[in-house]
Amino acid sequence: MIVKATAPIYAERAAKLIELTGSFTESIYLKKGDRTADGKSFLGIIALSIYPDDPVEIICDPPSTQLKERILSSGLFSSCNS
């Protein structure tokens, strides 16, 4: 699923994202451009330098519709129609 960041993902927002992804047993990855990070790694997410409106692909293995719902309802990301 491709989403857009609603604000920079640093410190507080990265911690909120880790809390969200950590509640899932599935493997979760975030991909921005050609860089990929473990979606449960605070430093990995910080290293992606995610800014507002940056498209980010969220990869879940195996896929989870519940993850998509929770990501979009978290306020961290919005739906990306591109």
Side-chain angles (χ1 to χ4, degrees):
M1 116 182 87
I2 299 176
V3 294
K4 289 191 299 186
T6 57
I9 306 293
Y10 291 120
E12 223 177 282
R13 294 174 66 83
K16 183 177 178 181
L17 181 57
I18 298 302
E19 185 178 328
L20 189 154
T21 57
S23 67
F24 288 85
T25 57
E26 296 87 353
S27 297
I28 300 170
Y29 300 95
L30 275 68
K31 183 175 182 180
K32 178 185 167 197
D34 61 346
R35 299 171 64 195
T36 303
D38 184 336
K40 298 179 183 182
S41 166
F42 182 80
L43 291 178
I45 290 171
I46 295 292
L48 288 178
S49 299
I50 301 171
Y51 295 101
D53 295 324
D54 279 351
V56 177
E57 183 176 3
I58 299 177
I59 304 159
C60 184
D61 186 30
S64 168
T65 55
Q66 186 182 30
L67 174 65
K68 180 178 182 176
E69 293 168 5
R70 295 214 24 223
I71 288 285
L72 293 176
S73 68
S74 71
L76 298 170
F77 297 96
S78 63
S79 184
C80 185
N81 295 328
S82 56

